[in-house]
Amino acid sequence: MDTAAAERAATDGPEHRPPGRRLGAWCAALLFAAVSVAVGFRTADSDGITPVPQVLAFLPWLLAPTGLALLLTLLSRWWLGTAWGVLLLGLLAWFIEPYGKVGDPVGRPVAELRVLTSNVEFGQGTGSLVAAVRREKPDIVFVQECEYECAARLKDDLSQDYPHRRAVEGGGSEGSVILSRFPLKPTDGVSGTMGMPGAVADVDGHPVRLQLAHPMPPIPGQVDLWNRELGALRDAATADPGTPLVLAGDFNASQDHAAFRRILDTGLSDAARLDDADRTATWPARTAPAFGTQIDHVLVSKHFAADRTRILDVADTDHRAVVTDLTLHEGR
């Protein structure tokens, strides 16, 4: 190394720059450090502890502070920091790619069904959901945070079109309902803080397992519970692999959460991923689609193909609904 290069290397720290450049370099270092924590846990396939799970939900948006910090390193002529920023951008770009396998189902198509899932926020969005159901005409509807009044209204307004239902009654966020045009056989569902009913639907003579998902969100102090309830959903997904499965609802998790990826790793696919609608934000509705994250999902087993997945605005709730058309294939 020549003398000039050695001097540049020795003075490549923020403390050796003029005050303006020094401030820029320090700001960049702080931003990089914060982003590196989240990226580090993502790389380690772990959700970590608060506030990491909350930050991971918005992982694509970490491109913004990383890009700003990278610009600051260029203005500050902090070349080591520039390399740090380029590495972070590369990792973020890699992780933003859709997660999970895709492929065509095996066997001939035997039935078609439309599925809709919606979190109505303590029942406040029930009226808007009823209108959306009448407009979209799904065959199966998964409803989360459907408290007593919500459940009663759905029964009054939609029982003629959806004579079959499976519900866990509860107030506030605890109530959940599955509505179906197809006959339902009740199952135990998944035990959780909030209702997660299950059923087996007779879809034109073919059994299809239905499981509603609504684990606790990863709020501070409840991350372990969130992990356990997502783990319970994963166990449910593997309980009967020979029977087609639709696992839908508000997962309070995105593909950037390790606990959710473990559910996908059981062989399920996200209908939004199959239909190129992944990363479309479903929450919070007030800022989506410009800003948000996709935590409402319709997951399906390998027996299904998905088409025309749409994200719907539903008034008076903080979630957007997901509706998708599924084709059931006869397995070999």
Side-chain angles (χ1 to χ4, degrees):
M1 180 183 295
D2 60 34
T3 304
E7 289 177 354
R8 285 195 299 271
T11 59
D12 194 34
E15 67 277 6
H16 297 292
R17 291 183 180 79
R21 292 182 183 176
R22 189 183 308 158
L23 177 62
W26 276 113
C27 290
L30 289 173
L31 289 171
F32 284 153
V35 172
S36 294
V37 172
V39 172
F41 277 99
R42 178 64 179 83
T43 303
D45 198 28
S46 170
D47 292 320
I49 60 174
T50 299
V52 175
Q54 295 85 351
V55 173
L56 284 173
F58 298 93
L59 183 135
W61 300 100
L62 295 181
L63 289 169
T66 304
L68 173 60
L70 188 58
L71 176 61
L72 290 173
T73 66
L74 293 173
L75 294 175
S76 303
R77 300 181 184 178
W78 180 29
W79 310 125
L80 183 60
T82 300
W84 188 2
V86 170
L87 175 62
L88 286 176
L89 284 178
L91 288 171
L92 287 170
W94 175 264
F95 293 138
I96 287 171
E97 286 295 306
Y99 184 85
K101 298 179 180 179
V102 295
D104 295 327
V106 176
R108 64 185 179 89
V110 294
E112 294 183 351
L113 62 156
R114 177 172 292 177
V115 172
L116 185 150
T117 181
S118 177
N119 180 321
V120 292
E121 192 181 9
F122 312 126
Q124 296 174 153
T126 306
S128 300
L129 173 63
V130 169
V133 167
R134 287 173 172 165
R135 182 179 67 251
E136 299 293 334
K137 296 179 172 55
D139 298 294
I140 299 171
V141 185
F142 296 81
V143 190
Q144 305 89 58
E145 298 195 17
C146 185
E147 40 70 75
Y148 299 110
E149 291 185 10
C150 164
R153 180 165 183 181
L154 293 180
K155 190 172 185 178
D156 291 342
D157 292 358
L158 298 175
S159 60
Q160 184 172 351
D161 293 325
Y162 300 90
H164 310 284
R165 60 191 280 131
R166 181 73 173 140
V168 173
E169 295 186 355
S173 63
E174 296 177 3
S176 293
V177 179
I178 300 174
L179 304 176
S180 175
R181 297 185 190 275
F182 306 111
L184 295 179
K185 177 183 176 181
T187 62
D188 290 337
V190 174
S191 178
T193 308
M194 297 178 286
M196 293 190 278
V200 175
D202 182 352
V203 180
D204 298 337
H206 304 277
V208 174
R209 287 199 299 145
L210 307 177
Q211 178 59 58
L212 185 146
H214 194 202
M216 279 291 288
I219 57 178
Q222 300 287 359
V223 172
D224 287 344
L225 179 58
W226 168 74
N227 264 302
R228 286 198 300 272
E229 293 188 353
L230 283 170
L233 287 169
R234 183 188 184 282
D235 292 341
T238 61
D240 184 8
T243 303
L245 170 66
V246 178
L247 173 58
D250 170 13
F251 285 78
N252 281 308
S254 75
Q255 72 167 47
D256 298 307
H257 290 115
F260 180 73
R261 292 194 300 276
R262 292 185 187 109
I263 297 175
L264 295 177
D265 289 342
T266 65
L268 299 185
S269 297
D270 196 321
R273 166 82 167 97
L274 294 175
D275 201 30
D276 298 323
D278 52 282
R279 295 288 186 190
T280 303
T282 63
W283 177 88
R286 288 184 178 179
T287 57
F291 176 81
T293 182
Q294 188 177 91
I295 61 174
D296 301 86
H297 309 272
V298 176
L299 305 186
V300 296
S301 60
K302 61 184 179 180
H303 310 84
F304 290 98
D307 185 35
R308 295 190 67 237
T309 300
R310 287 95 68 205
I311 310 298
L312 309 177
D313 291 319
V314 179
D316 303 318
T317 172
D318 57 346
H319 287 253
R320 304 170 82 200
V322 181
V323 60
T324 187
D325 293 343
L326 301 176
T327 301
L328 174 64
H329 290 248
E330 185 178 56
R332 292 177 182 174

